[in-house]
Structure formats: structure tokens, C-alpha cells
Amino acid sequence: TFHEVVGRLGEQGHALVLYVEDNPANVTFMEHLLGTFENLELVVAHTAEEGVAIARARRPGATGLRR
């Protein structure tokens, strides 16, 4: 499950999660969900292009986007 994957990322120390999403409500949901994990950093990209640039520069441990 998503929760298990995020938990495993957090067990490895600090982890960066890149979330590509243009819907503010979904971003708020993810911020609340991932805010329960103190060693995870959520970075939000609002476009695919922005997401690719962030992924290349920051090398996240996980990336989430909708289809």
C-alpha cells in the first residue's frame, strides 16, 4: 500500500517525495497525509515539466502523479 511504501522510505532516514499535481485540494490532502511522517519532505510540482526538472535536480525517493 501507499502507506507502507512511504513508511519504508522514512525508515531509510530523510526521504524526498515529489508529487506532481495541479489540483490544490489534492496537494493539501498529500501535505496532511505525509505530514504525519517527520522524516519525509514533500515537494510539489504543478506541471509535468516542473516535475521532471525537480526530479533531475533533487532525485526523489518517490514520485507520485495522476494519470
Side-chain angles (χ1 to χ4, degrees):
T1 68
F2 176 78
H3 214 66
E4 291 169 336
V5 170
V6 171
R8 275 184 263 148
L9 281 172
E11 290 171 0
Q12 300 170 6
H14 178 81
L16 177 70
V17 177
L18 171 59
Y19 184 49
V20 182
E21 178 59 71
D22 62 352
N23 182 315
N26 291 344
V27 171
T28 298
F29 171 76
M30 287 300 285
E31 289 171 340
H32 288 351
L33 177 66
L34 295 183
T36 63
F37 297 92
E38 62 186 48
N39 49 350
L40 294 181
E41 177 185 357
L42 175 65
V43 175
V44 177
H46 299 284
T47 67
E49 294 81 7
E50 185 181 354
V52 169
I54 293 169
R56 286 183 176 151
R58 308 255 338 247
R59 303 287 180 165
T63 303
L65 55 121
R66 64 182 169 87
R67 296 173 56 156

